[in-house]
Amino acid sequence: QVQLVESGGGLVQAGGSLRLSCATSRRIVSINVMAWYRQAPGKQRELVTSISRTGSTTYADSVKGRFTISRDNAKNTMYLQMNSLKPEDTAVYYCNVPPNSWGQGTQVTVSS
């Protein structure tokens, strides 16, 4: 079990940027995979992006070219840089360490 705490959400205009952070209770060099999910109102939670211990990444098609996932091993923190935000990105964003560790979520709202 890993404790995860997200921060950095907020309200931005379309085209703006936000950086989300996920602080962990473990040394992330020991965590094989970390991920960001999001859940919009009335919709299923979906995988946005993931990063492995070795640095391999995946991205949902909807965010490719706009979002970047990264890790800072020294700070035991994962980040999600979100650029060119769209109203469709509005959701609660969750940090995840598969399979069962989740943060509390942070709200991202993008106005049109």
Side-chain angles (χ1 to χ4, degrees):
Q1 188 66 235
V2 183
Q3 284 72 55
L4 305 169
V5 179
E6 303 99 334
S7 62
L11 173 63
V12 297
Q13 287 187 307
S17 298
L18 285 173
R19 188 177 77 159
L20 307 184
S21 299
C22 173
T24 76
S25 64
R26 291 183 59 186
R27 291 165 48 82
I28 65 171
V29 293
S30 70
I31 300 174
N32 289 332
V33 177
M34 300 180 69
W36 288 99
Y37 283 72
R38 66 186 181 186
Q39 188 166 23
K43 298 186 65 177
Q44 190 79 25
R45 188 172 299 185
E46 65 173 339
L47 176 65
V48 178
T49 179
S50 68
I51 187 166
S52 76
R53 182 173 52 82
T54 59
S56 298
T57 59
T58 70
Y59 293 94
D61 288 343
S62 59
V63 307
K64 286 180 179 176
R66 301 188 297 120
F67 290 12
T68 304
I69 189 172
S70 63
R71 304 187 310 184
D72 186 330
N73 290 342
K75 296 182 178 180
N76 295 319
T77 300
M78 178 177 67
Y79 302 97
L80 180 63
Q81 179 66 46
M82 304 186 295
N83 299 326
S84 301
L85 282 162
K86 304 175 180 180
E88 305 93 272
D89 297 317
T90 294
V92 177
Y93 284 72
Y94 297 91
C95 183
N96 168 245
V97 174
N100 301 127
S101 294
W102 296 89
Q104 82 288 350
T106 186
Q107 177 71 48
V108 172
T109 302
V110 184
S111 63
S112 60

